[in-house]
Amino acid sequence: MIDLSKDELFRILSNSRRRYIIYYLHEAGDEMSLKQLAARIAAVENGTSVDEVTDEERQRVYISLYQTHLPKLEEAGIVSYDDEERIVALTPEVAREGFFWMQTEDESRPWATYYAILGVVGWLAILARIIGLPLFAALPWVAIAVFVSTAILVLVGAQYFLELEGDETTDSFETLIE
């Protein structure tokens, strides 16, 4: 992440137009013209669609972005602005690493690890049966298959319901612009 103090980051994010700039660039995943960016922000600020934004509304936002907000974001290393082409983009570092709200949260349950462990346990049971270890030699193949398939179903069900429960939270990045 870029090297900003908390105070500097909060100062930058204290203005809704700067948050919108970051949001729309992040959402686009690419550079945008200053004119497009101004039109989108003007649409939100005026409660209308981009197509219905008047030239005056767009121009007012355009000037503000050009004179005030883009220089601050550029100085902070968050965006790059090509003055000749009038193109704005997130800096490569911010586009790659983002801010705390752009990054996906770490999984509280490492599902891939659980599936890997289950796979290893299944193969160990199969190998123990093939080798003829005392406890496993007496087990029919069906019992191993039932155990592994039931464990997979339980794990998939747990993952599904826990992730479904977690989807009720709002996107923290979108809440920053509201």
Side-chain angles (χ1 to χ4, degrees):
M1 275 196 25
I2 58 174
D3 190 28
L4 291 174
S5 69
K6 287 179 186 176
D7 289 338
E8 181 66 14
L9 181 61
F10 286 122
R11 185 186 65 73
I12 289 168
L13 296 176
S14 69
N15 184 280
S16 63
R17 286 187 177 172
R18 289 193 287 268
R19 292 191 306 270
Y20 280 120
I21 291 167
I22 297 167
Y23 174 76
Y24 286 126
L25 291 173
H26 173 70
E27 183 182 60
D30 200 8
E31 60 189 26
M32 292 180 75
S33 73
L34 180 54
K35 186 176 181 178
Q36 290 173 314
L37 197 53
R40 283 190 175 189
I41 294 171
V44 171
E45 289 180 355
N46 292 290
T48 186
S49 70
V50 174
D51 295 334
E52 296 173 352
V53 171
T54 66
D55 288 340
E56 182 181 316
E57 292 168 336
R58 184 187 47 76
Q59 190 64 22
R60 189 172 48 244
V61 173
Y62 184 99
I63 292 168
S64 167
L65 298 183
Y66 179 77
Q67 291 180 346
T68 305
H69 303 297
L70 289 178
K72 287 184 182 187
L73 290 171
E74 194 170 30
E75 181 182 322
I78 296 172
V79 301
S80 60
Y81 176 64
D82 182 341
D83 198 28
E84 289 180 20
E85 299 290 324
R86 306 278 184 188
I87 298 292
V88 185
L90 292 173
T91 59
E93 186 177 17
V94 172
R96 182 180 59 251
E97 296 178 26
F99 288 108
F100 61 92
W101 69 84
M102 294 172 162
Q103 298 169 351
T104 58
E105 294 181 18
D106 292 336
E107 292 184 33
S108 58
R109 291 172 182 82
W111 295 108
T113 304
Y114 294 157
Y115 288 110
I117 290 170
L118 181 57
V120 169
V121 168
W123 274 105
L124 288 175
I126 290 169
L127 289 174
R129 171 70 166 84
I130 290 172
I131 294 172
L133 291 179
L135 179 62
F136 291 92
L139 283 177
W141 285 107
V142 169
I144 294 173
V146 167
F147 167 76
V148 172
S149 62
T150 302
I152 289 172
L153 284 174
V154 168
L155 190 56
V156 167
Q159 180 180 4
Y160 175 78
F161 287 111
L162 289 171
E163 287 181 358
L164 183 66
E165 184 179 289
D167 284 346
E168 295 173 6
T169 61
T170 58
D171 181 16
S172 59
F173 186 61
E174 288 184 4
T175 59
L176 283 174
I177 62 168
E178 294 176 350

